Amino acid sequence: MSQRVVITGGASGIGRAFARRFARDGWRVALCGAASEAVAAMAGELPEAICRVADVRDEAQMAAFLAEVEAAWGGADAVCANAGTGGPAGLVESLDYQAWQDCVAVNLHGAFLTCRWAARVMRAQGSGAIVVTSSTSGQWGVPYRSPYVAAKWALVGLTKALAMELGAAGVRVNAICPGIVDTPMQDKVLERLAEIRGITVEDITSKRLTSVPLGRASEPYETAGFIFFLISDEGSYFTGQALSQDGGIVM
């Protein structure tokens, strides 16, 4: 039987690239996303995949999605806790508390619900790999984006704790920390930051890229290749790591 992967946030951005890469390599794919149109599009593109609408903040919705996966497959060989949102942007004293909570809930609480299920099924089967999508914002400070940064730093801590808990069971846990990736979520973040700073999106994009030694943003397929390596046998001695994939920003 082919290997099994579960991807949250798998209908758009880098999650969609993950799903395409795993499907291309013959894996059975289960994905969820919050946007019904995007999930429907992935179901049309990957007709053999399990594609469901689920809000990762909602315990009942996630339980239903993951129970369906477990009933169909009995477990999973890999889990990508990838769902995320850019959240609000602004000085901390201007941020709305509900917007803060929503950002942290998607980025951190959703990963917890996903990893909790993965830990249970993988411990029982004695194998598996979990990859959590953090960010370079989880490795260094970024102004105007405190809820996003706080959640992404927390994901690195979650990754390290789970790696310690699950290593003896044959389960590996790592975090990937992408930098600037060309996705719709990144575009929305840049628009908000440009508005706050009173400059154009082109200006802020140019300023951000000057911090990248390779001088460009990453494409989603590049992040997909990185995660595929971590989950594959070639990455079998990696666990508890927060690995940058950012064109050289964090050195």
Side-chain angles (χ1 to χ4, degrees):
M1 294 290 287
S2 57
Q3 291 183 291
R4 309 153 295 176
V5 62
V6 177
I7 306 166
T8 65
S12 62
I14 62 173
R16 178 173 60 191
F18 295 170
R20 288 170 171 168
R21 173 60 192 266
F22 280 100
R24 189 191 80 188
D25 283 75
W27 286 57
R28 286 177 282 171
V29 175
L31 65 86
C32 70
S36 57
E37 290 185 3
V39 172
M42 287 304 292
E45 182 178 336
L46 304 177
E48 296 183 0
I50 299 172
C51 302
R52 299 291 180 264
V53 177
D55 184 337
V56 294
R57 300 171 296 180
D58 188 301
E59 185 174 12
Q61 291 185 39
M62 286 301 292
F65 166 62
L66 295 169
E68 180 181 356
V69 172
E70 191 170 355
W73 296 348
D77 300 292
V79 169
C80 304
N82 169 73
T85 180
L91 293 169
V92 68
E93 62 265 32
S94 71
L95 294 180
D96 175 74
Y97 184 43
Q98 186 61 55
W100 170 286
Q101 289 180 304
D102 289 342
C103 179
V104 173
V106 172
N107 289 303
L108 178 58
H109 301 167
F112 161 71
L113 292 174
T114 305
C115 291
R116 182 177 66 175
W117 176 83
R120 178 178 61 79
V121 299
M122 290 179 176
R123 190 188 297 278
Q125 67 194 22
S127 64
I130 301 169
V131 177
V132 176
T133 302
S134 179
S135 167
T136 50
S137 298
Q139 298 177 301
W140 61 329
V142 179
Y144 309 113
R145 300 191 65 200
S146 55
Y148 181 81
V149 172
K152 293 300 187 179
W153 274 78
L155 288 176
V156 172
L158 176 65
T159 296
K160 292 181 179 296
L162 295 183
M164 292 176 179
E165 291 182 16
L166 294 169
V171 180
R172 298 184 297 107
V173 189
N174 291 290
I176 59 168
C177 298
I180 304 169
V181 185
D182 188 9
T183 64
M185 187 178 86
Q186 184 69 217
D187 292 341
K188 292 178 182 177
V189 168
L190 292 177
E191 289 171 5
R192 289 196 291 269
L193 290 174
E195 182 179 358
I196 290 166
R197 299 178 64 179
I199 59 178
T200 67
V201 171
E202 291 73 19
D203 285 341
I204 200 165
T205 299
S206 177
K207 289 178 183 296
R208 285 165 63 91
L209 290 180
T210 61
S211 68
V212 182
L214 290 184
R216 65 174 178 86
S218 170
E219 295 295 331
Y221 78 87
E222 293 175 297
T223 308
F226 182 38
I227 200 170
F228 195 81
F229 163 75
L230 279 179
I231 284 170
S232 72
D233 289 342
E234 284 77 9
S236 61
Y237 205 59
F238 283 90
T239 197
Q241 303 303 304
L243 300 165
S244 302
Q245 188 249 346
D246 61 3
I249 297 174
V250 178
M251 292 190 181

